[in-house]
Amino acid sequence: MKGKDLLSIGDLAPDDVWRIIDRAIEQKRQGASPILAGESLALLFEKPSLRTRVSFDIAMHQLGGHSVYIPQSEVGLGTRESISDVARTLSRYVNIIAARTFAHATVESLAEHATIPVINALSDREHPCQALGDLLTIYEKKAKLEGLTFAFIGDGNNVASSLLLASALAGANFRIASPKGYEISDEIESLGRRLARSNAQIILVEHPQAAVAGADVVYTDVWTSMGQEAEAKKRLGAFAGYQVTAELLSQAAKDAILMHPLPAHHDEEIAPGLIDSPQSVVFDQAENRLHVQKAILAELLQK
Ligand code: CP
Ligand code: NVA
């Protein structure tokens, strides 16, 4: 992946995934090291962010580089200025772009026109940086990825899509329980089946119990993603019965871990207090975003 873009987990080979995990473990051990001295990152964000923005910003700082945050209110991507002009201009100032966009096509268009690497910092299709950080967290807790079973409960959204593809590359089984009409896209499902290593299974079910039975990882995310706020009420109805509760979690493996990318809606997709349970690794996930962003930046900048 050196020198290319990171728009989708589907852009990666299994070796790339392991190189990023290994580098992230090394970065975590090492702390600050000035390998990106003189390099600059543009954080081009159409939507809000806590973890992604701060972890990229601090990652650049700890690696001796610099980042500049450019919100949509400032740049007017596609309104004040065309996507291609923004991409070509930023390519003259900075060395790499991390873009959070509504439409996946926007981040693809940025990558097409930029002469520097572009990272998808979340689009409506995928959240690849989250999935890579999550593989690191799972590997730290379970000492392996191949052969594990991940159970995702809820919306077949950007986070679920990247995690499905990442689990396929890592040789882990992926089960997802979603209500009718909110399943993972056919495109992601078939890409996952093509990428799957070590006979990793991809199983789509309707009932949460069928997904979590004996699973090593129980994962959930919000029912209404950024940009879908107008559907929030309808989604609350559709996802009733899909809350991850202590009872549901007890049907997973005894030593299963509970994951959520945050931000969370306590009492919607996750029962109140469950994030503080001993099985929850949610804040380790949040921390690992920092270590993985460092690895992604160093790989793409060929350092
Ligand atoms: N998990 C995640 O990407 O969080 P933010 O939206 O706060 O960046
Ligand atoms: N699915 C959520 C993830 C936020 C990190 C969203 O897109 O809003």
Side-chain angles (χ1 to χ4, degrees), residues 48-53 100 122 127 130 226 261-263 289:
S49 170
L50 174 66
R51 281 143 292 272
T52 309
R53 175 187 174 180
R100 171 166 285 198
L122 182 148
H127 196 1
Q130 180 72 51
M226 291 179 279
L262 300 175
R289 297 293 308 280

Side-chain angles (χ1 to χ4, degrees), residues 47 100 122 127 157-159 221-222 224-226 261-263:
K47 320 189 221 191
R100 171 166 285 198
L122 182 148
H127 196 1
N157 63 13
N158 44 10
V159 169
D221 184 22
V222 291
T224 300
S225 286
M226 291 179 279
L262 300 175

Side-chain angles (χ1 to χ4, degrees), residues 96-112:
I96 187 162
I97 298 170
R100 171 166 285 198
T101 62
F102 285 99
H104 189 71
T106 303
V107 74
E108 286 182 328
S109 177
L110 279 168
E112 185 191 338

Side-chain angles (χ1 to χ4, degrees), residues 138 141-142 144-151 172-173 175 211-219 249 252-259 279:
I138 297 166
K141 305 295 175 190
K142 299 285 171 194
K144 65 172 186 174
L145 296 174
E146 196 174 303
L148 293 177
T149 296
F150 306 167
N173 304 309
R175 300 187 202 141
V212 298
D216 302 291
V217 174
V218 176
Y219 201 118
L249 188 57
K254 242 189 164 54
D255 60 350
I257 55 173
L258 171 66
M259 303 182 75
Q279 283 168 278

Side-chain angles (χ1 to χ4, degrees), residues 1-61:
M1 71 179 279
K2 280 181 188 282
K4 297 203 197 120
D5 306 306
L6 175 58
L7 304 186
S8 163
I9 292 289
D11 296 341
L12 304 176
D15 284 357
D16 296 324
V17 172
W18 278 109
R19 211 170 41 253
I20 291 167
I21 293 174
D22 288 342
R23 283 197 82 150
I25 292 169
E26 176 65 16
Q27 292 292 347
K28 191 168 180 171
R29 200 184 48 76
Q30 208 173 17
S33 64
I35 56 171
L36 297 186
E39 305 280 338
S40 299
L41 164 72
L43 289 163
L44 190 56
F45 276 40
E46 287 186 330
K47 320 189 221 191
S49 170
L50 174 66
R51 281 143 292 272
T52 309
R53 175 187 174 180
V54 176
S55 59
F56 267 120
D57 191 14
I58 301 301
M60 282 307 275
H61 177 73

Side-chain angles (χ1 to χ4, degrees), residues 182-197:
Y182 297 93
E183 297 94 345
I184 207 104
S185 72
D186 293 344
E187 184 207 353
I188 293 288
E189 184 190 347
S190 51
L191 178 58
R193 293 194 193 284
R194 276 207 305 283
L195 296 177
R197 300 284 155 143

